[in-house]
Amino acid sequence: MKPAPFDYVRPASLAEAMRLLQEGGGAARPLAGGQSLGPMLNLRLAQPKLLVDVTGIPELSGAAERGDTVVIGAAVTHAAIEDRRVPDIGQGVLTRIAATIAYRAVRNRGTMGGSLAHADPAADWPTALTALGATVIVRGAGTPHAVAIRDFIAGPFMTALQPGEIVQAIEIPKLSASARWAWYKVCRKPGEFASTIAAVLVDPARGIRRAVIGATGDRPVLLEGDEVSEATLMQRLSGIDPIDRRVHGVALKRALAQVAA
Ligand code: FAD
């Protein structure tokens, strides 16, 4: 199937992009790497009148260290992170996550902001960034505002974004020197979306003990402090298929073993 007709613009400034998106209302839509929106257009699941390509906007394309955080523009690609073309938060964590997303052709185009805005429950950044305690910088008609990622991902393919708002950037806290991180994914075939993802961050210097399970079919499951255990996860996932639940439990157990090693 071919997409329904649409217009395409690639503004060079954030102000122009915001003007186009706000004027277009629900009929205008941001386009980043097109790795999810492209198939949605082809299947006519999305039928925007106007696509506003955000990949030429400097404010969305850069990354920088800012105090105890790394700020990554929404249009930064997975490949740029994999290739260390942006600062890391420590221990090469972001690089390692990026390298496990799909395969290189997808990583060359797919962006961190697009992945968060799409909020596929099986995607990697929503789970990883929840575990890392990231903050999403949302841009609407006024000044940008910050939304904790646990509030930003509202459910499967649902976010806190309001019509006319975009993801401008993602702020990710740096790890302390003594932090331990584990990232454990199960994919049936290399490059496929995961059947389960377990991310664990133990950072005693910042008082953090956190585990997040992704690809459960819903928003990432967040466990903190004493909740971080396989038993609690099994309770939280009591409504899903028992075999899937078991697979998520095994992933968490293996991720916990990695941080304990
Ligand atoms: P687009 O497709 O351009 O946009 C996606 C949605 O986000 C659209 O609704 C768009 O309007 C909106 N959007 C884009 N940018 C913004 C913004 N800045 N602000 C607000 N809204 C915005 N991902 C994984 O995590 N793990 C995988 O294993 C994986 N496997 C994949 C395999 C294949 C074959 C493909 C095609 C994709 C796969 N992906 C996977 C998804 C991919 O990595 C991208 O992250 C994803 O497609 C979204 O990023 P994008 O930049 O392509 O966004």
Side-chain angles (χ1 to χ4, degrees):
M1 203 188 284
K2 297 287 179 208
F6 58 82
D7 288 325
Y8 168 90
V9 278
R10 191 167 188 264
S13 77
L14 184 55
E16 177 65 356
M18 294 314 301
R19 187 186 66 73
L20 290 163
L21 287 166
Q22 310 255 315
E23 282 178 9
R29 193 150 179 172
L31 169 72
Q35 297 302 293
S36 295
L37 190 49
M40 287 163 66
L41 292 170
N42 285 342
L43 292 166
R44 301 202 174 192
L45 291 171
Q47 299 192 19
K49 293 276 178 275
L50 176 67
L51 285 184
V52 180
D53 187 334
V54 298
T55 58
I57 300 172
E59 292 96 323
L60 270 56
S61 307
E65 294 185 56
R66 196 175 299 155
D68 292 339
T69 65
V70 169
V71 184
I72 297 189
V76 169
T77 62
H78 313 320
I81 299 167
E82 177 183 19
D83 295 349
R84 297 178 186 265
R85 281 181 269 140
V86 302
D88 196 73
I89 55 166
Q91 303 179 23
V93 161
L94 297 182
T95 300
R96 284 192 285 142
I97 297 162
T100 69
I101 297 175
Y103 42 88
R104 184 68 193 198
V106 172
R107 298 198 292 272
N108 281 337
R109 306 281 314 177
T111 65
M112 185 181 272
S115 176
L116 292 184
H118 190 55
D120 187 320
D124 294 87
W125 288 125
T127 295
L129 293 169
T130 302
L132 292 167
T135 301
V136 182
I137 308 302
V138 172
R139 183 76 181 224
T143 49
H145 60 279
V147 183
I149 185 136
R150 61 181 70 180
D151 301 323
F152 181 83
I153 306 286
F157 303 104
M158 288 186 285
T159 70
L161 285 176
Q162 299 299 314
E165 288 186 339
I166 64 161
V167 177
Q168 179 172 331
I170 300 96
E171 263 181 27
I172 314 168
K174 291 181 189 169
L175 302 184
S176 307
S178 58
R180 279 165 290 144
W181 166 258
W183 179 246
Y184 189 90
K185 272 176 74 170
V186 176
C187 300
R188 284 177 185 268
K189 285 195 295 188
E192 264 196 359
F193 275 102
S195 314
T196 182
I197 310 171
V200 175
L201 175 63
V202 178
D203 195 344
R206 293 190 295 143
I208 294 172
R209 180 174 170 77
R210 190 184 288 143
V212 179
I213 306 297
T216 66
D218 205 336
R219 63 202 291 219
V221 178
L222 170 64
L223 306 173
E224 290 188 290
D226 294 342
E227 297 172 339
V228 179
S229 73
E230 200 186 343
T232 311
L233 179 66
M234 293 300 98
Q235 281 170 12
R236 292 276 187 94
L237 296 179
S238 58
I240 72 169
D241 176 87
I243 295 175
D244 290 346
R245 192 164 65 131
R246 191 78 208 103
V247 173
H248 294 304
V250 169
L252 176 60
K253 199 155 69 178
R254 292 185 182 173
L256 288 172
Q258 283 180 21
V259 293

